[in-house]
Amino acid sequence: IQDDHKLSASELEEKYGTSVNKGLSSARAAEILARDGPNSLTPPKATPEIVKFLKQMVGGFSILLWIGAVFSWISFGIQFAQGAESPFDNLYLGVVLAVVVILTGIFAYYQEAKSTNIMASFSKMIPQQALVIRDAEKKELSADQLVVGDIVEIKGGDRIPADIRLIFTQGCKVDNSSLTGESEPQSRSCDFTHENPLETKNVAFYSTTCVEGTATGIVINTGDRTIIGRIASLASGVGHEKTPIAIEIEHFVYLVAGVAISIGVLFFIISVSMRYKILDSIIFLIGIIVANVPEGLLATVTVSLSLTAKRMAKKNCLVKNLEAVETLGSTSIICSDKTGTLTQNRMTVAHLWFDNQIYSADTSEDQTTQPFDQSSPSWTALSKIVTLCNRAEFRPGQENLPIMKRVVVGDASETALLKFAEVILGNVMNIREQNKKVAEIPFNSTNKFQLSIHETDDPNDKRFLLVMKGAPERILERCSTIMINGKEEPLDSEKAAAFQTAYMELGGMGERVLGFCHLYLPENEFPDTYPFDTDSMNFPTSNMCFVGLLSMIDPPRSTVPDAVSKCRSAGIKVIMVTGDHPITAKAIAKSVGIISATSETVEDIAKRLNIPVEQVNRREATAAVINGMELKDMSLQQLDEILCNHSEIVFARTSPQQKLIIVEGCQRQGAVVAVTGDGVNDSPALKKADIGIAMGIAGSDAAKNAADMVLLDDNFASIVTGVEEGRLIFDNLKKTIAYTLTKNIAELCPFLIYIITSIPMPIGTITILFIDLGTDIIPSVALAYEKAESDIMNRRPRNKMKDRLVNEQLAVYSYLQIGIIQSVGAFITYFTVYAEQGFLPSTLLGVRVNWENNAINDFEDSYGQEWTKYQRMYLQWTGYTAFFVSITIQQVADLIIRKTRRNSIFQQGLFRNKVIWVGIFSQIGIALILTYGLGHATALNFTPLRFQYWFVAVPFAILIWAYDEVRKLFIRRYPGSWWDKNMYY
Amino acid sequence: MATLNEKKTCSERMENFRRFVWNPETKLFMGRTLINWVWISLYYLAFYVVMSGLFALSIYSLMQTVNPYEPDYQDQLKSPGVTLRPDVYGDRGLQIYYNVSDNKTWEGLVTTLQTFLTAYTPAAQHLNINCTSDTYFIQDTFDGPNNTKLSCKFTSDMLQNCSGITDPTFGFPEGKPCFIIKMNRIIKFFPGNGTAPRVDCTYVVTNEAAFLLYAQGNEPRPLEVDYYPANGTFNLHYFPYYGKKSQPSYSNPLVAVKFLNITRNVELKIVCKIIGAGITFDNVHDPYEGKVEFKLKIED
């Protein structure tokens, strides 16, 4: 830790070899620049594109398919060496498999890259300029050229270009919110005020902004060595966990690969022991792998996720990492930042106190009027002080904008007061012009008040009006009277007590309270020409008339309370983590419902029962407000206990490291944690979270970089939409996978039956690829458009240990029930085609060896006709086509039943999801083209099929639908029953 | 997340697996109680019994709809295939190589022919009738025994010099071998449109073959062939074929070809086509449709 803040200016000059007046020489600066590097944050290390690409090539099922391809080439090599008749089939198959892997890899890579590109636009920053003294001259330099020892000048509105030790300040205030989360500007001076460099007033930090005033300072840290840089590197040090959906997909891939490999090996052994040639057995193994692997599924999942991402982007949730789409759906804890996310991030007048009464003001985002009672003459007097004793001004040229949207020059409180006055009184600037200002003392921290003296707008009243505002207790000290209903009454102890109560009440709501008073200066003592001098204060500043109090707060966004309650009903715990004061934090938490109206903290209970805090039963308190100081002394067990026992938690005054600890604590509970944040200080927590959500408007680049998702409108309510979409896509992916897995059995059974009963091959490997990557793709994507079956926002987030994407029920129901029905249907078509061409089922059993023998060209069918090899092959391809068509037809039924998992199709509506129908038509269309369009391209093994064979499997398709309706009916009728447990996926 | 990502040691995995197979605390066997296993097995048993029933029912009704005498469709058997005896297949189709002086090389070929012709002995053909007409033998009624149709007799002696009766070695040792050409059966197929289809064998003149012939100083000579029966025709009275159920004793008519001027020690490529209306031999995909091609090399 540096101690530059403790050194004097001259010591610093010596340390950095610089001069306050002349600055560094250009040559020296260049040397240091060469040594330290540019003054910019190193962007997080990106994975090289080629690595990302290769990962896509070997991820998921790709390995299995590569194995299939290699086996194909091996068997091609062997056959070629033996000089067999048609070895090239296997070469082509291998090539096709490789192409499939490469294409799906390219596709996934492209999808991934596309979503990353959206984000890339964010991180482009406009190069920042800094005013530097070098070679005894003031120069504008690009901020990244700054080096340690440079003398920089800063004025209001500038971003601080590096960590700076201040050596000269004038009314300088900085907004440290991006660093600490505190929304109030902090004043800066040249004095060493605190041991901790973070707390001392004479250091300004990189990437914070100077709100007002001017300052000059010596650069003491640049680039990654700045405080921000260190936090950012803390963030990059936090490893990113796998997203829940990635874990689910991995689980699913293992499951399917496990099934594929075990069936493959089992049948390899069976076929070898049935005295098939090893080469043939290898070819069967390839077929079994290809049949088992849903080649198109991972691409489908990617498309479904990116569709959801697109939908969410429309609703202002921009997803950076596709998988994060689902993460939000499984989120069980949201750690939300306060400022800017839950609140509007601007001070607004919330309450008024005059005539001994508290009035509430409207704090919504788009207020145009104020509803409280404005008839009292006291309000007229108060409004005049609010209007006149205020230095803030609107930037010119914004007359057409709504008041709340106009840009104001001035600090946060003054801005709030200006806007408040403008809303009620109309043109404030006009009023100020009519009450000409003759003298003014701006606010400073020693006086704790601000005053100004004005002419009145009444031409007959020649008196001056002195108006004053400031810290309420200081203002009250200077008053001898108080205005009640427009009349000045003496300020007795009773009225002072009323003031105290009101002040405490407003302060207790976490609001910043200001007192207002005025004094009409007597005309005889202060004539028109009286020379007011603010330095000697040649006018009275006591015995004034107290008019009222105004309190301000950064109010919650109007959509937030609803969103919080939606999160509640969705079983998501919302925790507030802020750098702000506990009282403010608690007040905001209460007003948005993070702490509900009925729940109490330990302190609340203690207060109510009037007992010491230690005696309160901690279990009774549902809410907790924990200060960063308390958190510092807590052990992990204590933190876990708090996270476990309290349902409503607010962490206040937390540091970036503590945010990280809190997130880790939540993750220890097994929760999926979402973290929202905008400041650089949030970035480690954003990174650590299962899903980090950065604010698009207020968010810093570091936060956006660390986050998985960006809320374009900074609105907490958008998260709820995201949760809903995330849950929906999880359900829909289940449906997609169930749909896709089903037909794998209908593709696998032909191989198994072929090996065991030696019938002619019912379906070809290439044909399988046409189903997996042709007819089935669009329908499975269409399921991503399916609407939710019930109110998904009323159930708890899924338990990531138990509610798997692909569970036993799903696999078993798809594989062993629907898949079997599909296989039976397809085999019936196959047998029908062969029988009607002359080969009755009984003839087909055991014919494989002769059927495939090239030397037999007079193979006899059931009717005594004789077939050449090619005639048999052509019939076999007709069989492939028939099998393919039957699977397609039954997949239509499968698609329809997968629309719902619990509800009847009639409850869900057959036509509500139009995309499903696009899917069905595309499926049948592609099948028609393959069958009739390519009928003579025998390389693809399709033949023009008689039209009636399209309908052989229809009864089985209807059976699938009916059976599934019965399944769903029983699930709905007998929840919790044996049926429900075994049949609901 | 932490717990999910924890790397488990092998022994822990084994322990977890054992616990999965049999968990003594919850009495779960592979994730289910025993009674639950019984139920689920019963359910699947019932499910598969029903599915098998459906399958059997479907196949049964399929069998009810098919015609027992002839298949519903014959669109994939438009033109008959042609086969050759003896049929020795090498890597690239039919290859008949032998050495006249080494009887081991041709004895197998002769045996194949003799075996093939056993189906054409008078004894084997005794159920069939003698036909003399040179027109199609159309039978609309079942005139044969046991509700069948009659078939015409084809006996091996019709192949004269290639019958194996006069020359049991089928001319192989002399270098003038006999080959038998058979046309595949197709139900209700009327070949030749009233004219008997005939076999025609020629060289397939590839450049290589022509070069070899010239190189040996020989003028290229057309292939000299004796056809049996005369002209190498398939008599029309063997057609049409009515199917296995109608004509259980039907046997294909044959044509034997005897090559008379085979150049020794040269691999020759010969094609035997069946010439007749309705028989095509120009299908690029199917080398055996309407014709049979083979390589012949006789060494000495």
Side-chain angles (χ1 to χ4, degrees):
Chain A
I1 289 293
Q2 274 174 311
D3 49 6
D4 286 346
H5 56 294
K6 295 179 194 162
L7 304 178
S8 72
S10 52
E11 282 170 319
L12 283 166
E13 277 183 321
E14 196 184 328
K15 181 174 175 188
Y16 292 112
T18 184
S19 145
V20 172
N21 300 321
K22 291 187 187 158
L24 292 168
S25 69
S26 295
R28 174 89 184 119
E31 260 173 51
I32 304 174
L33 186 65
R35 184 192 71 198
D36 290 352
N39 173 34
S40 58
L41 299 184
T42 332
K45 229 191 251 166
T47 329
E49 294 299 304
I50 184 74
V51 173
K52 279 192 206 164
F53 184 71
L54 288 179
K55 260 189 185 165
Q56 299 289 3
M57 291 288 161
V58 296
F61 296 118
S62 303
I63 290 284
L64 273 185
L65 293 180
W66 280 123
I67 293 173
V70 168
F71 278 159
S72 302
W73 288 325
I74 291 174
S75 50
F76 160 72
I78 296 172
Q79 286 181 327
F80 190 76
Q82 290 175 345
E85 191 111 337
S86 54
F88 290 98
D89 286 358
N90 283 317
L91 176 68
Y92 297 148
L93 181 60
V95 170
V96 166
L97 289 178
V99 166
V100 163
V101 177
I102 291 169
L103 281 185
T104 49
I106 288 174
F107 179 77
Y109 171 76
Y110 167 74
Q111 283 290 346
E112 197 70 51
K114 213 167 66 177
S115 63
T116 324
N117 278 347
I118 304 172
M119 289 307 300
S121 57
F122 265 112
S123 45
K124 278 192 195 119
M125 279 184 281
I126 310 146
Q128 206 192 328
Q129 298 291 314
L131 192 61
V132 191
I133 301 176
R134 276 200 193 161
D135 306 325
E137 273 175 65
K138 282 190 189 179
K139 284 183 190 168
E140 278 270 322
L141 272 184
S142 166
D144 58 1
Q145 298 299 312
L146 286 185
V147 295
V148 169
D150 265 330
I151 311 295
V152 289
E153 287 188 8
I154 295 148
K155 57 179 191 306
D158 285 355
R159 226 169 88 154
I160 313 278
D163 281 359
I164 289 168
R165 161 69 160 82
L166 302 171
I167 47 178
F168 166 79
T169 58
Q170 191 173 38
C172 178
K173 275 190 180 175
V174 289
D175 177 4
N176 272 355
S177 63
S178 75
L179 193 61
T180 60
E182 269 170 315
S183 48
E184 267 188 64
Q186 316 273 304
S187 71
R188 294 281 105 158
S189 69
C190 309
D191 311 320
F192 163 57
T193 55
H194 203 287
E195 280 286 325
N196 186 343
L198 283 172
E199 303 274 343
T200 185
K201 287 202 165 172
N202 58 0
V203 179
F205 298 105
Y206 180 42
S207 95
T208 60
T209 39
C210 176
V211 182
E212 58 183 65
T214 58
T216 307
I218 301 177
V219 174
I220 53 171
N221 283 317
T222 56
D224 290 333
R225 288 167 301 280
T226 58
I227 298 294
I228 287 286
R230 279 183 232 161
I231 294 176
S233 60
L234 181 65
S236 60
V238 175
H240 214 111
E241 309 275 355
K242 266 188 197 142
T243 58
I245 194 74
I247 293 171
E248 289 307 317
I249 288 173
E250 202 170 79
H251 170 242
F252 156 70
V253 168
Y254 284 154
L255 196 119
V256 172
V259 171
I261 291 172
S262 29
I263 295 183
V265 169
L266 179 70
F267 274 81
F268 184 78
I269 295 168
I270 289 178
S271 47
V272 169
S273 52
M274 282 176 75
R275 308 202 173 183
Y276 283 91
K277 278 184 272 176
I278 296 286
L279 193 64
D280 285 341
S281 307
I282 289 177
I283 293 170
F284 301 157
L285 184 60
I286 300 167
I288 288 172
I289 290 175
V290 172
N292 254 310
V293 171
E295 288 85 6
L297 188 58
L298 294 186
T300 313
V301 169
T302 316
V303 173
S304 304
L305 288 175
S306 63
L307 283 174
T308 306
K310 241 183 217 166
R311 219 158 36 209
M312 283 165 74
K314 265 190 207 147
K315 293 171 183 169
N316 290 322
C317 287
L318 201 57
V319 179
K320 203 167 122 184
N321 171 4
L322 270 190
E323 288 165 353
V325 167
E326 192 280 327
T327 313
L328 206 49
S330 41
T331 295
S332 50
I333 295 182
I334 299 176
C335 289
S336 179
D337 192 28
K338 178 182 77 75
T339 316
T341 315
L342 298 174
T343 66
Q344 302 171 18
N345 197 17
R346 58 146 193 249
M347 285 309 233
T348 305
V349 174
H351 292 96
L352 305 90
W353 180 78
F354 56 84
D355 296 346
N356 265 335
Q357 199 178 338
I358 292 180
Y359 297 88
S360 302
D362 178 11
T363 56
S364 64
E365 286 94 331
D366 48 355
Q367 43 182 287
T368 47
T369 53
Q370 284 291 356
F372 66 91
D373 181 15
Q374 294 156 11
S375 57
S376 163
S378 306
W379 160 245
T380 317
L382 181 59
S383 69
K384 193 155 254 175
I385 310 171
V386 168
T387 314
L388 297 179
C389 188
N390 191 332
R391 282 154 53 93
E393 285 176 20
F394 288 113
R395 283 242 177 98
Q398 308 186 80
E399 287 74 20
N400 298 326
L401 284 178
I403 295 166
M404 287 298 143
K405 296 238 165 81
R406 293 186 201 165
V407 180
V408 175
V409 185
D411 79 12
S413 318
E414 298 229 302
T415 304
L417 294 171
L418 174 64
K419 286 186 173 171
F420 181 67
E422 183 87 6
V423 165
I424 299 173
L425 304 173
N427 197 332
V428 169
M429 293 303 162
N430 222 358
I431 300 172
R432 286 198 198 156
E433 244 163 65
Q434 286 164 8
N435 299 269
K436 241 181 112 233
K437 195 192 288 179
V438 291
E440 176 177 54
I441 301 177
F443 184 86
N444 70 48
S445 45
T446 28
N447 289 344
K448 299 218 177 210
F449 68 77
Q450 172 183 359
L451 74 75
S452 55
I453 302 166
H454 300 259
E455 294 168 2
T456 61
D457 50 358
D458 183 356
N460 304 324
D461 191 349
K462 290 292 175 205
R463 291 177 300 174
F464 284 102
L465 172 64
L466 189 154
V467 287
M468 187 192 255
K469 75 167 186 225
E473 64 280 6
R474 294 294 183 87
I475 296 295
L476 196 73
E477 280 167 16
R478 295 170 186 276
C479 293
S480 54
T481 59
I482 183 163
M483 184 176 279
I484 305 287
N485 295 324
K487 294 198 184 66
E488 289 191 24
E489 289 179 16
L491 185 63
D492 51 29
S493 59
E494 186 193 326
K495 294 208 172 69
F499 160 87
Q500 274 304 334
T501 321
Y503 181 28
M504 293 308 292
E505 188 173 344
L506 295 178
M509 288 193 276
E511 299 179 3
R512 189 194 301 171
V513 191
L514 287 178
F516 294 82
C517 65
H518 71 193
L519 180 68
Y520 282 96
L521 301 176
E523 200 177 344
N524 45 3
E525 270 179 63
F526 300 93
D528 262 0
T529 52
Y530 186 83
F532 289 102
D533 182 0
T534 51
D535 291 332
S536 60
M537 302 249 261
N538 57 351
F539 47 84
T541 55
S542 57
N543 288 327
M544 303 208 273
C545 171
F546 192 87
V547 182
L549 294 171
L550 244 74
S551 67
M552 283 161 288
I553 197 163
D554 178 10
R557 291 164 174 274
S558 48
T559 47
V560 169
D562 189 39
V564 170
S565 83
K566 270 191 187 156
C567 286
R568 275 270 157 77
S569 59
I572 303 170
K573 194 159 148 180
V574 183
I575 295 178
M576 184 195 275
V577 183
T578 177
D580 219 332
H581 290 277
I583 295 173
T584 322
K586 189 179 169 192
I588 294 293
K590 279 213 150 164
S591 66
V592 298
I594 288 180
I595 295 181
S596 49
T598 51
S599 65
E600 290 175 309
T601 62
V602 173
E603 291 77 16
D604 289 334
I605 296 174
K607 205 167 152 194
R608 177 166 55 86
L609 302 176
N610 216 354
I611 50 170
V613 173
E614 293 75 37
Q615 292 179 12
V616 176
N617 179 2
R618 291 192 165 262
R619 310 230 161 218
E620 267 176 43
T622 48
V625 179
I626 289 126
N627 196 313
M629 293 298 162
E630 300 171 50
L631 190 57
K632 207 185 259 172
D633 303 328
M634 269 182 204
S635 64
L636 291 181
Q637 284 78 8
Q638 280 173 306
L639 178 63
D640 287 351
E641 209 169 287
I642 285 173
L643 290 171
C644 240
N645 292 341
H646 301 284
S647 58
E648 300 167 346
I649 310 174
V650 172
F651 289 97
R653 282 260 166 236
T654 48
S655 69
Q657 280 82 353
Q658 286 177 328
K659 281 199 180 182
L660 204 57
I661 291 170
I662 294 165
V663 172
E664 282 168 344
C666 294
Q667 285 174 338
R668 266 201 306 280
Q669 317 287 310
V672 175
V673 185
V675 170
T676 72
D678 50 3
V680 179
N681 58 332
D682 298 322
S683 56
L686 286 174
K687 198 100 190 250
K688 179 72 205 173
D690 295 288
I691 176 168
I693 305 167
M695 300 298 131
I697 304 170
S700 60
D701 291 324
K704 284 178 198 164
N705 264 331
D708 305 292
M709 186 181 272
V710 176
L711 291 186
L712 292 180
D713 57 356
D714 287 15
N715 191 344
F716 185 81
S718 307
I719 298 176
V720 179
T721 330
V723 169
E724 200 168 353
E725 291 289 350
R727 289 185 175 189
L728 185 57
I729 196 64
F730 186 81
D731 284 5
N732 285 349
L733 281 181
K734 254 188 180 182
K735 295 173 184 176
T736 302
I737 291 174
Y739 168 77
T740 315
L741 286 187
T742 306
K743 55 120 199 311
N744 279 0
I745 283 300
E747 292 167 352
L748 178 67
C749 282
F751 280 94
L752 309 188
I753 307 253
Y754 164 79
I755 292 172
I756 293 171
T757 65
S758 289
I759 54 174
M761 182 72 99
I763 192 164
T765 314
I766 301 279
T767 322
I768 289 175
L769 289 175
F770 271 106
I771 298 175
D772 287 3
L773 296 168
T775 56
D776 258 12
I777 290 285
I778 298 175
S780 47
V781 171
L783 282 169
Y785 287 93
E786 203 52 49
K787 299 274 182 302
E789 276 176 68
S790 54
D791 193 355
I792 43 178
M793 291 306 277
N794 275 337
R795 64 180 196 217
R796 299 193 52 74
R798 72 183 178 91
N799 178 336
K800 64 183 178 184
M801 300 295 183
K802 284 187 195 143
D803 307 336
R804 308 308 303 254
L805 182 64
V806 177
N807 51 23
E808 180 200 317
Q809 289 90 331
L810 185 150
V812 163
Y813 181 67
S814 302
Y815 274 155
L816 297 184
Q817 298 190 27
I818 301 298
I820 294 293
I821 301 181
Q822 274 196 355
S823 308
V824 171
F827 266 107
I828 293 297
T829 318
Y830 162 88
F831 282 122
T832 307
V833 167
Y834 275 82
E836 297 197 333
Q837 289 287 353
F839 291 94
L840 299 180
S842 49
T843 319
L844 288 176
L845 297 178
V847 297
R848 189 193 72 93
V849 176
N850 287 338
W851 179 274
E852 290 176 358
N853 191 342
N854 285 321
I856 297 180
N857 280 297
D858 50 359
F859 188 90
E860 203 178 308
D861 69 14
S862 317
Y863 294 90
Q865 306 188 99
E866 289 167 325
W867 298 65
T868 65
K869 174 74 197 302
Y870 179 77
Q871 285 163 340
R872 296 197 301 272
M873 279 315 291
Y874 193 82
L875 177 58
Q876 187 174 323
W877 295 335
T878 310
Y880 290 1
T881 313
F883 215 94
F884 163 81
V885 163
S886 305
I887 291 181
T888 307
I889 293 294
Q890 293 178 89
Q891 277 294 81
V892 171
D894 191 25
L895 181 64
I896 289 171
I897 66 166
R898 300 303 183 179
K899 278 165 69 73
T900 59
R901 294 185 297 148
R902 177 182 291 274
N903 286 355
S904 163
I905 292 302
F906 302 104
Q907 285 171 298
Q908 183 79 349
L910 252 181
F911 299 98
R912 228 168 45 151
N913 179 356
K914 304 278 187 304
V915 188
I916 287 281
W917 288 94
V918 174
I920 292 175
F921 286 124
S922 77
Q923 196 168 22
I924 293 173
I926 291 171
L928 282 170
I929 290 170
L930 285 173
T931 315
Y932 300 111
L934 303 174
H936 295 285
T938 43
L940 298 178
N941 302 351
F942 282 95
T943 67
L945 192 68
R946 279 208 156 65
F947 199 62
Q948 70 258 34
Y949 293 137
W950 286 69
F951 300 97
V952 177
V954 166
F956 290 90
I958 294 169
L959 175 68
I960 287 173
W961 186 352
Y963 179 65
D964 196 59
E965 278 296 321
V966 170
R967 177 187 74 94
K968 289 167 188 165
L969 179 72
F970 283 168
I971 286 171
R972 275 174 281 136
R973 277 280 171 82
Y974 308 108
S977 63
W978 177 89
W979 184 275
D980 187 18
K981 275 184 208 141
N982 286 289
M983 300 295 234
Y984 181 67
Y985 55 87
Chain B
M1 186 106 2
T3 43
L4 254 185
N5 282 353
E6 267 170 26
K7 287 261 173 270
K8 295 191 186 100
T9 64
C10 190
S11 63
E12 271 175 332
R13 277 171 194 277
M14 285 307 292
E15 176 57 35
N16 279 353
F17 182 72
R18 230 195 341 265
R19 199 162 273 276
F20 169 71
V21 173
W22 173 245
N23 187 335
E25 287 144 41
T26 48
K27 299 217 186 300
L28 292 182
F29 172 70
M30 314 252 304
R32 288 173 188 279
T33 57
L34 288 175
I35 188 73
N36 209 326
W37 272 112
V38 171
W39 280 117
I40 197 96
S41 312
L42 281 178
Y43 183 82
Y44 275 94
L45 183 68
F47 182 83
Y48 290 132
V49 164
V50 170
M51 284 319 295
S52 313
L54 274 177
F55 181 76
L57 189 70
S58 306
I59 294 292
Y60 175 76
S61 41
L62 171 68
M63 296 308 288
Q64 294 306 300
T65 61
V66 294
N67 181 335
Y69 292 100
E70 55 188 276
D72 296 8
Y73 303 111
Q74 289 179 283
D75 55 324
Q76 300 194 358
L77 282 182
K78 291 206 181 85
S79 181
V82 177
T83 53
L84 182 80
R85 295 295 186 288
D87 48 350
V88 179
Y89 282 82
D91 289 337
R92 303 270 186 275
L94 284 161
Q95 283 175 341
I96 288 123
Y97 297 169
Y98 73 94
N99 191 326
V100 286
S101 47
D102 183 359
N103 55 5
K104 280 199 205 92
T105 58
W106 49 262
E107 267 172 359
L109 303 172
V110 170
T111 316
T112 310
L113 284 178
Q114 281 168 342
T115 317
F116 178 71
L117 287 177
T118 51
Y120 291 91
T121 57
Q125 293 281 322
H126 77 277
L127 287 173
N128 295 347
I129 57 162
N130 283 312
C131 303
T132 47
S133 143
D134 286 340
T135 56
Y136 295 122
F137 184 31
I138 295 168
Q139 305 172 71
D140 293 328
T141 50
F142 294 87
D143 298 331
N146 302 326
N147 211 15
T148 58
K149 294 184 180 177
L150 298 167
S151 306
C152 290
K153 200 167 268 187
F154 190 99
T155 47
S156 49
D157 58 281
M158 294 177 186
L159 301 177
Q160 300 159 23
N161 283 347
C162 286
S163 63
I165 300 163
T166 49
D167 175 11
T169 58
F170 295 93
F172 278 83
E174 301 97 80
K176 293 177 180 172
C178 282
F179 289 91
I180 293 173
I181 309 286
K182 179 178 81 106
M183 187 166 74
N184 282 352
R185 295 191 292 258
I186 296 177
I187 290 173
K188 289 191 176 166
F189 178 65
F190 293 83
N193 194 20
T195 322
R198 63 178 180 87
V199 173
D200 177 43
C201 294
T202 51
Y203 286 127
V204 178
V205 184
T206 59
N207 286 339
E208 196 189 356
F211 172 79
L212 281 169
L213 287 173
Y214 280 115
Q216 299 204 335
N218 295 320
E219 283 293 301
R221 295 168 300 173
L223 184 64
E224 283 174 33
V225 191
D226 277 351
Y227 296 97
Y228 310 100
N231 300 326
T233 53
F234 296 102
N235 198 306
L236 288 182
H237 60 234
Y238 295 105
F239 303 102
Y241 175 53
Y242 284 104
K244 202 156 126 184
K245 194 172 166 78
S246 306
Q247 290 179 303
S249 60
Y250 179 91
S251 34
N252 303 32
L254 305 172
V255 168
V257 290
K258 190 174 178 72
F259 301 122
L260 303 173
N261 61 342
I262 299 297
T263 311
R264 302 281 168 97
N265 301 321
V266 179
E267 187 190 86
L268 298 165
K269 207 169 177 189
I270 297 168
V271 60
C272 292
K273 292 174 181 165
I274 296 181
I275 315 280
I279 301 165
T280 56
F281 44 74
D282 50 5
N283 186 340
V284 289
H285 298 297
D286 192 348
Y288 298 99
E289 187 181 302
K291 63 175 190 291
V292 58
E293 251 181 40
F294 59 97
K295 286 178 194 151
L296 178 64
K297 186 175 181 183
I298 304 175
E299 292 168 330
D300 53 14

